[in-house]
Amino acid sequence: MVYTNAHRLFLQILTSRRYLLGHEVQSTYKKCCAKFHVTADNLLEFVKEINEELGQINLVIRKSIQEDYESDSQCFVLVNIFDSDVTRMNSTFTSQELALFRKVIEAIVQSEDGSILITEAINMAFNLKQKMKIGESEALIDRLVQDGWLLQHTDQKILSLSALSTAELQTYLEEQYGDIILKCFFCKLVSLKGYSCTECDVKVHRQCGSKFWIRNGSQSPSCPDPKCAAEWSHVEVNLPRKCSKTQN
């Protein structure tokens, strides 16, 4: 397919948002194609054609996983592949603001469930070499949420990394915390809030794991690595029960 105005509009929308969740991707794709009378029959091929154009300016659209507080969502993220280190934001944030953002990232990565209290993030201003006022720290956290780097969950008290952060800052996360963070056994993307095996190093996104267990007709979760296959009694997943035939 020739690169069309439908491709350009889709990219324009994604550029303004930085990432689109699964249902948003589909609806945006269909609307862009309808507007310019392009057949909407292959989203992945459509994105591939955009990526061929983006390669010239060191950008790429990547699939990622948004790990929200209660569930996961697939999404597409616009990523800068020329320089994905957190220091790339030097043109947008001061060194003091970046120092606080790094501390927030570190706390989230090292937490048990991939999230921290928003008050904890704000109070990290006291731990910086160059102290930051609480008002400034609070304003920065709000900005990071508004810009899509952090997720502020429904109860408004908890923060975690967004799909934008895990995709855009993947190199930084792996270099700094490669001995801590794990990638999903299935999709090979970083998972901070997924299910972890208690017997081996396997970790899976909640969405990826649930799809696997349902597809395989599992009655209860277990480690997807056949070398381990340990029962995951610590994981609660609502799996469909097999129907049993009643004999007359």
Side-chain angles (χ1 to χ4, degrees), residues 20 27 33 44 50 58-59 64 71-72 86 91-92 113 127 153 161 165 172 175 185 188 208 211 214 226-227 242:
L20 295 171
S27 62
C33 289
L44 294 181
I50 296 177
N58 297 307
L59 294 174
S64 187
S71 61
D72 302 332
V86 71
S91 59
T92 306
D113 63 351
N127 300 325
H153 299 291
L161 295 184
S165 286
Y172 175 81
E175 289 178 349
F185 181 81
K188 309 306 179 185
C208 295
K211 285 182 177 180
I214 291 173
K227 297 179 181 178
K242 292 182 179 179

Side-chain angles (χ1 to χ4, degrees), residues 18-152:
R18 293 303 303 276
Y19 65 90
L20 295 171
L21 299 180
H23 67 280
E24 296 173 323
V25 172
Q26 287 289 345
S27 62
T28 301
Y29 166 57
K30 291 179 180 178
K31 289 177 181 178
C32 290
C33 289
K35 181 177 178 63
F36 294 102
H37 309 290
V38 174
T39 302
D41 59 357
N42 194 327
L43 172 60
L44 294 181
E45 186 64 26
F46 184 84
V47 172
K48 180 180 177 182
E49 289 157 354
I50 296 177
N51 279 336
E52 290 175 354
E53 295 290 322
L54 290 177
Q56 304 174 29
I57 54 175
N58 297 307
L59 294 174
V60 67
I61 299 174
R62 287 179 178 167
K63 292 182 70 173
S64 187
I65 299 291
Q66 178 91 298
E67 296 184 285
D68 213 324
Y69 185 64
E70 296 181 345
S71 61
D72 302 332
S73 300
Q74 288 189 343
C75 60
F76 279 3
V77 184
L78 184 62
V79 176
N80 181 322
I81 57 176
F82 179 72
D83 183 6
S84 59
D85 191 275
V86 71
T87 56
R88 185 182 60 78
M89 295 188 293
N90 276 329
S91 59
T92 306
F93 298 96
T94 67
S95 58
Q96 188 181 30
E97 290 172 335
L98 280 175
L100 178 59
F101 188 27
R102 289 192 187 96
K103 283 192 173 294
V104 171
I105 291 174
E106 180 178 29
I108 290 174
V109 170
Q110 293 182 344
S111 67
E112 291 186 1
D113 63 351
S115 63
I116 60 173
L117 293 174
I118 190 170
T119 51
E120 180 183 349
I122 293 172
N123 289 333
M124 287 178 186
F126 295 124
N127 300 325
L128 300 177
K129 290 183 178 180
Q130 184 180 355
K131 297 293 187 294
M132 180 185 290
K133 295 180 180 178
I134 288 297
E136 296 173 337
S137 174
E138 187 173 4
L140 176 62
I141 298 301
D142 287 341
R143 181 181 172 189
L144 291 169
V145 171
Q146 291 298 318
D147 289 351
W149 296 102
L150 296 175
L151 286 179
Q152 185 171 336

